Amino acid sequence: MQLQYLENGEILENAVVGPDTWRMQIRSPKVAGAAQPGQFIMVSVGHETTDPLLRRPLSIHQAKDDVLTLLYRIVGKGTKLMSFMKKGEEVSLLGPLGKGFQIKSASHHCLVGGGLGVAPLLFLATEIKRRLPTETMSILLGGRSKNELLVLNDFQKVAPVFLATDDGSLGMPGLVTELLVKEVKGPATIYTCGPAPMMKGVAQCARDKKWSCQVSLETMMACGMGACLGCTVQRSGFDESEKKYVHVCKDGPVFEAGEIWL
Amino acid sequence: MQLQYLENGEILENAVVGPDTWRMQIRSPKVAGAAQPGQFIMVSVGHETTDPLLRRPLSIHQAKDDVLTLLYRIVGKGTKLMSFMKKGEEVSLLGPLGKGFQIKSASHHCLVGGGLGVAPLLFLATEIKRRLPTETMSILLGGRSKNELLVLNDFQKVAPVFLATDDGSLGMPGLVTELLVKEVKGPATIYTCGPAPMMKGVAQCARDKKWSCQVSLETMMACGMGACLGCTVQRSGFDESEKKYVHVCKDGPVFEAGEIWL
Amino acid sequence: MALDTRVKIGEWQLENPIMTASGTFGYGEEFTPFVDLAALGAIVVKGISLHPRPGNPPPRVVETASGMLNAIGLQNVGVDRFISEKMVMIRKLGAQVVVNILGDSLDEYRELAARLADVEGIAALEVNISCPNVKKGGVAFGTDPLMAAKVTEVVSRQSSRPVIIKLSPNVSDITLIARAVEEAGATAVSLINTLIGMAIDIRTARPKLANIIGGLSGPAIKPVALRMVYQVASAVKIPVIGIGGISTLDDVIEFMMAGATAVQIGTANFVNPAVSGELVAGFRQYLRDTGRTTATELIGCVQR
Amino acid sequence: MALDTRVKIGEWQLENPIMTASGTFGYGEEFTPFVDLAALGAIVVKGISLHPRPGNPPPRVVETASGMLNAIGLQNVGVDRFISEKMVMIRKLGAQVVVNILGDSLDEYRELAARLADVEGIAALEVNISCPNVKKGGVAFGTDPLMAAKVTEVVSRQSSRPVIIKLSPNVSDITLIARAVEEAGATAVSLINTLIGMAIDIRTARPKLANIIGGLSGPAIKPVALRMVYQVASAVKIPVIGIGGISTLDDVIEFMMAGATAVQIGTANFVNPAVSGELVAGFRQYLRDTGRTTATELIGCVQR
Ligand SMILES: Cc1cc2nc3c(=O)[nH]c(=O)nc-3n(C[C@H](O)[C@H](O)[C@H](O)COP(=O)(O)OP(=O)(O)OC[C@H]3O[C@@H](n4cnc5c(N)ncnc54)[C@H](O)[C@@H]3O)c2cc1C
Ligand SMILES: Cc1cc2nc3c(=O)[nH]c(=O)nc-3n(C[C@H](O)[C@H](O)[C@H](O)COP(=O)(O)OP(=O)(O)OC[C@H]3O[C@@H](n4cnc5c(N)ncnc54)[C@H](O)[C@@H]3O)c2cc1C
Ligand SMILES: Cc1cc2nc3c(=O)[nH]c(=O)nc-3n(C[C@H](O)[C@H](O)[C@H](O)COP(=O)(O)O)c2cc1C
Ligand SMILES: Cc1cc2nc3c(=O)[nH]c(=O)nc-3n(C[C@H](O)[C@H](O)[C@H](O)COP(=O)(O)O)c2cc1C
Ligand code: FES
Ligand code: FES
């Protein structure tokens, strides 16, 4: 079984990087050392108190040497409490968890992210570039408007970035799926993370073109490690058998699009 | 009914003053303005989380102009969370609550405190001195050992202080009750707060000498304002009637010793 | 467009669905510095018995994870002093007042209802058949459909006012009790009362409550309360008043969507004594923000 | 002086009273990076049914105040694949293994017990008669003393191993069920399973769980669980295994003082996957620090 750790990391940075969006850097040699792109961690957000009770799943935004980076949006009390954490404090991490992206040689690598879905893509882009330095890659990012497009510079350092916003405040006006059709001509391998409707659109488009497409899913999670069976999504093409569901924390969070949506 | 406020105060200081013991100064014009010696406040210790759920009762250690001071010992998660609060943060206070000490002219005022029981006595001493400047006062403080005798300088500024420690590491070796017998010869009015056994000893001694004695009690509390009926202590000399119990948060926390212990 | 925040319990119309729960709001006056009681849907006063009760010895309360245990033991001044002293003060508060009663025999319930029958300033009676803290009576009535029905009958017969039966959650099937009291003529049911719980101080190996067991309340019990409100609302036609861990506006809306016509705020009053008034204001705002015009639209609107 | 941390459930001796609860510990292997499974008193595996079950549609879990709701729907591979695949792996873990079974008919319970009868590497059976998530079966067995007794009989007759009956807390009087299964031959009882609860997403006016209702677990339910363990331990002579919100060493001690011979750790495994092992170490230390020499001294030592 893959290596997993329970590690108290030291917070090196915890700062705002966008509207309600924060980035936390943590020194956690074990977790950072074992991390693969597309994997996630479960972070504990309270001090000894029982509310919030459960750890929160967050994608590994970047892992370099002994430093792990998280990119998170405040949507409730757990992420709110995370934003109160200060440099120098300890935070408990469980990870790395789940199956990440498959990185194989391809004629072109295309990363498509929407909203907070960009989180796992930076680490992915970095690793594709490191492992397959000779291959081409493009990064397509979408959001409702300009200020939803996060950490652009970090992406631009790795590969050409194409942008789309619903309100046209930055990049092409429209959806990132249109951007995909417009910018990616030749055959490509697609990696996508973002809101479900966006990912479905991307998967649809990839299927039409017979491109391979990996999607990164989110569900509610209690344990993050395959113990509670709480994080199911339905598999395409299976009905009443015990194969009907896959577990996002263990079988995923990254899946072949076809496994989830026919 | 007496004035009570729900006020968000600004933390001016939160620092260690003894073993596991902290002092918090809060700018809270309303509560500080209305406070009387012996009264207490209910402080909320969590951010929006439901554990810990209830406010915590703490005595008013000092109230000067618009600043309220609390003296607290870390005994569990609520006080632990208080110790994490930082200068500049807001804290919600409910108060001032309860009936404090009766300050009447007396031939001598004697304050007897043990352990954290010193908390309400500083404000009391200050007020006795302010309201009855010509009358004599002595302050008797006891503890297991030296480092349990807290904020001595603050008391010494107000009136002569006599000390006793079980291990003799500071002041007279022995109990504060022995100190009372030794130091206070003439008739006196006694005000005491501390561990129950100590207060019983003091009350006993006062009764023998026919001195009036006020005791400040602690119980578990849910509301602090007379609504839950959770903070009862049994009254002396009442049995099965509805007068059997008094409520520490409303009828007290300060009582005539005779009302509780015959 | 005008907002209609009113809800009806039998013939009784409340200005809004926010009430306070018995035993958590004293007799109202303690909260006057923090809440305009007249602005609340109603206040429910501490449970009243025929004779004065001293209540249980201390300790009576202890905190638990997101909740608290209480074993007050129904301390109260008795119905006579309640009428002669407390009601005089309560009438001055200008609030809609529900009087919560409890007995340990049918006769006691009957007698209580009779004495309160023509006391003015009382909007409704709430009958506690479920308090877990008193060994005799209490639980027995609340867990047996027949006894629950009998209590409902005797009280209803004595009272021209709405009679709200307050149900115990410590039962296998709360809908059985709810149906029984509905048939017996209850105007409405309120639920839940506290779950029975316990805590031990391991340093002394003694129960933390002198009464050994006590009633669990607060956010911890909200999921159980919401489920029971949902089940009961689906099982009876009379109005259901939701109680149990309600602290925020979201909680209020959840209970109404589950089928509650009104809600009661209990333990949350201890955490924030101003909360009931804040929820009334928040409720108006919520209706506006969600483009609703009446409170009644919310009742039971959860999708099944 | 030597410490004896062992406790006995029937003829079965556990090295210590710390077990993990069914459905919260997978089949054990997930936790091998964090816990030495052989050091635990025992592990209880996810509930097994006669036929494979896909379980409920998502969402299946939601957090509540100091707790969580789950509606997994008893997803499992079925007894045959459990025996042919899972048990092979489980035997390698070197742990004491309790197999949790559930059925929706007496025949199914009988058949399950029969198939597991001579499978090696199983220390005991735990019979779930209380799972609230499945509409048929489950609850019915657990809330009716007669049915509970019948299940106990059929399973015991098929099994030479200790049979632990796991009780539902969603009943008016849990001691009735406990006594019934004791008389029917249960080796021990374990309690509590989850309380039935619900949560609503007010933005969509939909239940947060696809199954609408689910089982409430975690620290929120601890006071109710402790009270039931105390009541059952006073009502039966067979060992009681305490379950419900246990997360800390203090919790373990509270349950043992209330009368539990052993305890199971559930939801806490999700918060800290190493907790069960930490509690075993902490338990030894606690006995030393309090000058005790045996675990059994603690059982039921709370003052009444
Ligand atoms: C594998 C995985 C990776 C994720 N990566 C990231 C990331 O990199 N950055 C980021 O900001 N968020 C990420 N999320 C979502 C993140 O876990 C939730 O936003 C977070 O748990 C909310 O916690 P909270 O206490 O702030 O909100 P809560 O108060 O718990 O809930 C607030 C809202 O968030 C929703 N929510 C709660 N938990 C989850 C969850 N596990 N998944 C989806 N929605 C949830 C609730 O339904 C509710 O509507 C990821 C989720 C998963 C499953
Ligand atoms: C009127 C009044 C005035 C007080 N003044 C002070 C003060 O000035 N400084 C100070 O340090 N403490 C004071 N206390 C005690 C203080 O309220 C408790 O220590 C505090 O509530 C513990 O909270 P916690 O969450 O840290 O501990 P918890 O985790 O809640 O409990 C830890 C331990 O403290 C005990 N405890 C909890 N609440 C109370 C309580 N209300 N009274 C007594 N013991 C309790 C518990 O039984 C437990 O043993 C006062 C109490 C009262 C009633
Ligand atoms: C301290 C306290 C005293 C209570 N006294 C009564 C009572 O006298 N009569 C009654 O019917 N319910 C009583 N209750 C139950 C509450 O009215 C309410 O049903 C329960 O607390 C659940 O709501 P909550 O979680 O919002 O507190 C009491 C609850 C508490 C906490
Ligand atoms: C996700 C989850 C799945 C569970 N599955 C089962 C099960 O299959 N069989 C069973 O008897 N109990 C099951 N339970 C109940 C637990 O074993 C335990 O009785 C309950 O959660 C209370 O303990 P806790 O508060 O420590 O979690 C499950 C609980 C949870 C949270
Ligand atoms: S979150 Fe527990 S199994 Fe996936
Ligand atoms: S603490 Fe609630 S009445 Fe005293």
Side-chain angles (χ1 to χ4, degrees):
Chain A
M1 200 169 70
Q2 71 183 25
L3 287 177
Q4 292 178 351
Y5 303 96
L6 194 56
E7 185 174 41
N8 284 330
E10 182 199 343
I11 298 175
L12 302 174
E13 181 212 79
N14 189 24
V16 177
V17 295
D20 284 331
T21 311
W22 292 59
R23 178 170 53 203
M24 185 184 283
Q25 294 203 315
I26 304 159
R27 175 174 292 110
S28 53
K30 296 204 194 94
V31 177
Q36 294 299 321
Q39 290 187 299
F40 66 101
I41 52 94
M42 296 288 283
V43 58
S44 93
V45 295
H47 314 262
E48 295 151 39
T49 60
T50 59
D51 175 58
L53 181 66
L54 300 169
R55 289 169 178 265
R56 301 302 195 237
L58 294 176
S59 305
I60 296 171
H61 179 50
Q62 186 59 284
K64 197 166 180 309
D65 309 329
D66 62 354
V67 178
L68 191 85
T69 307
L70 306 174
L71 188 70
Y72 63 96
R73 173 163 294 159
I74 296 177
V75 299
K77 59 185 162 183
T79 44
K80 174 70 150 271
L81 286 172
M82 277 186 74
S83 70
F84 294 150
M85 297 180 180
K86 305 222 164 17
K87 186 176 189 228
E89 290 178 6
E90 280 202 336
V91 59
S92 167
L93 302 178
L94 171 63
L97 300 165
K99 290 210 188 65
F101 293 99
Q102 298 280 337
I103 301 182
K104 295 207 213 70
S105 176
S107 45
H108 181 71
H109 301 272
C110 179
L111 284 58
V112 185
L116 246 292
V118 301
L121 299 184
L122 183 62
F123 187 23
L124 174 63
T126 314
E127 280 297 296
I128 290 174
K129 189 173 180 185
R130 190 178 65 79
R131 299 189 203 173
L132 305 165
T134 62
E135 303 189 358
T136 63
M137 166 167 43
S138 58
I139 301 170
L140 283 51
L141 304 177
R144 249 176 270 114
S145 83
K146 192 169 182 294
N147 57 14
E148 267 195 12
L149 297 175
L150 304 161
V151 297
L152 291 182
N153 312 357
D154 299 349
F155 281 104
Q156 278 150 347
K157 289 193 197 107
V158 188
V161 174
F162 303 87
L163 306 174
T165 51
D166 302 3
D167 65 3
S169 51
L170 188 63
M172 185 192 88
L175 298 173
V176 71
T177 40
E178 299 162 18
L179 199 58
L180 176 60
V181 178
K182 179 163 161 295
E183 299 296 344
V184 185
K185 299 277 175 278
T189 293
I190 310 289
Y191 313 81
T192 184
C193 183
M198 181 208 96
M199 289 196 289
K200 282 186 182 168
V202 170
Q204 168 84 56
C205 163
R207 195 167 70 251
D208 299 347
K209 304 191 171 182
K210 309 255 176 318
W211 295 344
S212 102
C213 177
Q214 300 175 44
V215 299
S216 177
L217 305 182
E218 289 189 9
T219 59
M220 300 296 270
M221 291 187 172
C223 73
M225 51 188 278
C228 74
L229 308 184
C231 60
T232 35
V233 294
Q234 186 160 356
R235 247 214 208 123
S236 55
F238 287 93
D239 47 5
E240 278 311 312
S241 87
E242 75 276 24
K243 290 202 182 54
K244 183 174 182 182
Y245 299 111
V246 288
H247 295 95
V248 172
C249 76
K250 221 183 162 186
D251 307 320
V254 177
F255 297 89
E256 282 296 331
E259 187 173 3
I260 307 302
W261 305 301
L262 273 180
Chain B
M1 198 171 71
Q2 72 183 24
L3 288 177
Q4 293 177 350
Y5 303 96
L6 194 56
E7 187 175 37
N8 284 332
E10 181 201 344
I11 297 175
L12 303 174
E13 179 211 81
N14 190 25
V16 178
V17 294
D20 285 329
T21 311
W22 291 59
R23 179 171 52 202
M24 184 183 284
Q25 295 202 317
I26 305 159
R27 175 174 291 112
S28 53
K30 295 205 193 93
V31 176
Q36 293 299 320
Q39 290 187 301
F40 67 101
I41 52 95
M42 294 288 282
V43 57
S44 90
V45 295
H47 311 265
E48 296 153 39
T49 59
T50 58
D51 174 56
L53 181 65
L54 301 168
R55 290 170 176 263
R56 300 303 194 239
L58 294 176
S59 305
I60 295 171
H61 179 49
Q62 186 58 284
K64 196 162 181 309
D65 308 329
D66 63 353
V67 177
L68 191 83
T69 306
L70 306 174
L71 187 71
Y72 64 97
R73 172 164 297 160
I74 297 177
V75 299
K77 62 183 163 187
T79 44
K80 174 70 150 273
L81 285 172
M82 278 186 73
S83 70
F84 295 151
M85 296 181 181
K86 305 226 164 14
K87 185 172 190 230
E89 289 177 9
E90 279 201 337
V91 59
S92 168
L93 302 178
L94 170 63
L97 300 165
K99 290 210 187 67
F101 293 100
Q102 298 281 337
I103 301 181
K104 295 208 213 70
S105 176
S107 44
H108 181 70
H109 301 271
C110 178
L111 285 56
V112 186
L116 247 290
V118 302
L121 299 183
L122 182 62
F123 187 22
L124 174 63
T126 314
E127 279 298 294
I128 290 174
K129 188 173 181 184
R130 189 179 65 77
R131 300 189 202 172
L132 305 166
T134 62
E135 303 190 357
T136 62
M137 164 166 44
S138 55
I139 301 170
L140 283 50
L141 304 178
R144 249 175 271 113
S145 81
K146 194 167 181 295
N147 57 14
E148 268 196 10
L149 297 175
L150 304 161
V151 297
L152 291 182
N153 312 357
D154 299 351
F155 281 104
Q156 276 149 350
K157 290 195 197 103
V158 188
V161 174
F162 302 87
L163 306 174
T165 52
D166 302 3
D167 65 4
S169 52
L170 187 61
M172 186 191 85
L175 297 173
V176 72
T177 39
E178 299 161 17
L179 198 59
L180 176 60
V181 177
K182 179 164 162 292
E183 298 296 344
V184 184
K185 297 278 174 283
T189 295
I190 311 288
Y191 313 81
T192 183
C193 183
M198 181 209 96
M199 289 196 288
K200 281 187 183 167
V202 171
Q204 169 82 56
C205 162
R207 195 167 72 252
D208 299 345
K209 302 189 171 184
K210 309 247 176 325
W211 294 346
S212 99
C213 177
Q214 300 176 41
V215 298
S216 177
L217 304 182
E218 288 188 10
T219 59
M220 301 295 272
M221 291 186 172
C223 73
M225 50 188 279
C228 74
L229 308 184
C231 60
T232 37
V233 294
Q234 186 160 354
R235 244 211 208 130
S236 54
F238 286 94
D239 47 4
E240 277 312 311
S241 87
E242 75 275 25
K243 288 201 182 57
K244 184 174 181 181
Y245 298 111
V246 289
H247 295 95
V248 171
C249 77
K250 219 181 164 186
D251 307 321
V254 178
F255 297 90
E256 281 297 328
E259 188 173 3
I260 307 302
W261 305 301
L262 271 180
Chain C
M1 169 119 178
L3 270 186
D4 184 356
T5 61
R6 295 171 306 170
V7 295
K8 263 186 133 185
I9 291 172
E11 294 308 299
W12 176 38
Q13 190 144 51
L14 288 75
E15 274 310 305
N16 62 66
I18 313 293
M19 310 169 62
T20 57
S22 181
T24 67
F25 210 65
Y27 294 109
E29 66 179 335
E30 294 82 358
F31 289 81
T32 49
F34 311 108
V35 183
D36 169 12
L37 302 187
L40 299 175
I43 67 172
V44 184
V45 298
K46 174 71 183 165
I48 302 298
S49 54
L50 192 54
H51 307 294
R53 296 193 185 199
N56 290 328
R60 291 179 170 189
V61 293
V62 58
E63 189 178 68
T64 64
S66 295
M68 65 177 278
L69 287 165
N70 88 84
I72 305 304
L74 302 170
Q75 171 183 350
N76 78 95
V77 298
V79 69
D80 295 339
R81 277 186 53 206
F82 172 75
I83 294 170
S84 60
E85 297 170 19
K86 303 293 180 185
M87 272 310 296
V88 178
M89 173 279 297
I90 290 170
R91 275 189 287 265
K92 299 202 186 89
L93 302 173
Q96 290 287 308
V97 177
V98 176
V99 176
N100 178 285
I101 60 173
L102 59 117
D104 41 35
S105 71
L106 280 176
D107 296 342
E108 202 167 320
Y109 278 110
R110 181 186 298 106
E111 183 62 24
L112 271 164
R115 302 236 188 141
L116 291 164
D118 5 83
V119 176
E120 64 179 270
I122 298 176
L125 292 184
E126 180 176 64
V127 186
N128 178 5
I129 58 172
S130 52
C131 185
N133 295 339
V134 180
K135 280 152 214 89
K136 44 185 184 154
V139 165
F141 289 106
T143 50
D144 172 4
L146 289 174
M147 288 309 297
K150 282 217 176 66
V151 176
T152 309
E153 277 164 22
V154 300
V155 172
S156 306
R157 218 174 284 122
Q158 300 298 324
S159 171
S160 53
R161 307 190 173 99
V163 173
I164 302 159
I165 306 295
K166 185 166 181 178
L167 306 180
S168 168
N170 303 293
V171 297
S172 305
D173 183 353
I174 195 166
T175 64
L176 291 182
I177 317 282
R179 284 212 204 80
V181 302
E182 174 181 40
E183 284 189 5
T187 316
V189 287
S190 58
L191 60 143
I192 62 177
N193 207 316
T194 53
L195 287 163
I196 308 174
M198 179 177 177
I200 294 174
D201 182 335
I202 66 168
R203 285 158 307 181
T204 59
R206 282 209 171 71
K208 284 186 175 175
L209 297 174
N211 189 58
I212 301 180
I213 62 171
L216 181 64
S217 65
I221 69 170
K222 195 191 105 186
V224 174
L226 188 72
R227 181 265 301 184
M228 288 185 168
V229 164
Y230 175 82
Q231 291 177 325
V232 168
S234 325
V236 300
K237 288 175 199 55
I238 53 177
V240 175
I241 300 169
I243 319 171
I246 301 176
S247 325
T248 66
L249 185 68
D250 286 18
D251 297 336
V252 171
I253 306 305
E254 268 191 89
F255 275 82
M256 292 187 73
M257 285 181 167
T261 295
V263 297
Q264 292 180 13
I265 314 302
T267 301
N269 293 303
F270 305 153
V271 178
N272 172 10
V275 69
S276 54
E278 290 169 7
L279 289 173
V280 170
F283 185 72
R284 294 187 67 83
Q285 193 54 48
Y286 171 84
L287 290 182
R288 265 197 221 89
D289 297 348
T290 57
R292 293 182 168 87
T293 56
T294 64
T296 50
E297 293 166 51
L298 282 170
I299 302 168
C301 74
V302 67
Q303 317 211 358
R304 275 130 210 275
Chain D
M1 170 113 175
L3 270 186
D4 184 356
T5 60
R6 294 170 306 168
V7 294
K8 264 186 131 187
I9 291 173
E11 295 307 300
W12 177 38
Q13 189 144 48
L14 288 75
E15 274 310 306
N16 63 66
I18 313 293
M19 310 167 62
T20 57
S22 181
T24 68
F25 210 66
Y27 293 108
E29 65 178 337
E30 294 81 359
F31 289 82
T32 49
F34 311 108
V35 182
D36 169 9
L37 302 187
L40 299 176
I43 66 171
V44 184
V45 298
K46 175 71 183 167
I48 302 298
S49 53
L50 192 54
H51 307 295
R53 297 193 184 199
N56 291 327
R60 291 180 171 189
V61 293
V62 59
E63 189 178 67
T64 65
S66 295
M68 64 177 278
L69 287 166
N70 87 84
I72 306 304
L74 301 171
Q75 172 183 350
N76 77 96
V77 298
V79 70
D80 295 338
R81 277 188 50 210
F82 172 75
I83 294 170
S84 60
E85 297 170 18
K86 302 292 180 185
M87 272 312 296
V88 178
M89 174 280 296
I90 290 170
R91 275 189 286 266
K92 300 202 186 88
L93 300 174
Q96 290 287 309
V97 177
V98 177
V99 175
N100 179 284
I101 60 171
L102 58 116
D104 42 35
S105 70
L106 281 176
D107 295 341
E108 203 169 318
Y109 278 110
R110 180 186 298 106
E111 183 62 24
L112 271 163
R115 301 235 190 143
L116 291 163
D118 8 79
V119 176
E120 62 179 273
I122 298 176
L125 291 184
E126 181 178 63
V127 186
N128 179 5
I129 57 169
S130 53
C131 185
N133 295 338
V134 180
K135 281 152 211 91
K136 45 187 183 149
V139 165
F141 289 105
T143 50
D144 172 3
L146 289 175
M147 289 309 296
K150 283 217 177 62
V151 176
T152 309
E153 278 164 22
V154 300
V155 172
S156 305
R157 219 175 283 120
Q158 299 299 324
S159 171
S160 52
R161 306 189 175 99
V163 172
I164 302 160
I165 304 297
K166 186 165 180 179
L167 306 180
S168 167
N170 303 292
V171 297
S172 305
D173 182 353
I174 195 166
T175 63
L176 291 182
I177 317 285
R179 282 210 207 80
V181 302
E182 175 181 39
E183 285 189 2
T187 316
V189 288
S190 58
L191 61 146
I192 62 177
N193 207 317
T194 52
L195 287 162
I196 307 173
M198 179 178 178
I200 293 174
D201 182 336
I202 66 168
R203 285 158 307 181
T204 59
R206 282 211 169 72
K208 284 186 176 176
L209 297 174
N211 189 56
I212 302 181
I213 61 171
L216 181 64
S217 65
I221 69 170
K222 194 190 105 187
V224 175
L226 189 72
R227 182 262 303 181
M228 289 184 166
V229 164
Y230 175 81
Q231 291 177 325
V232 169
S234 324
V236 300
K237 287 175 200 54
I238 53 177
V240 174
I241 299 169
I243 319 170
I246 301 176
S247 325
T248 66
L249 185 69
D250 286 18
D251 297 337
V252 171
I253 306 306
E254 270 191 86
F255 275 82
M256 292 187 74
M257 285 180 167
T261 295
V263 297
Q264 292 180 13
I265 314 302
T267 300
N269 293 305
F270 305 153
V271 178
N272 171 11
V275 69
S276 54
E278 291 169 5
L279 289 174
V280 170
F283 184 73
R284 293 187 67 82
Q285 192 56 47
Y286 171 84
L287 289 183
R288 266 198 219 90
D289 297 349
T290 56
R292 291 182 170 86
T293 55
T294 65
T296 50
E297 292 167 52
L298 281 171
I299 302 168
C301 75
V302 67
Q303 318 212 356
R304 279 129 209 274

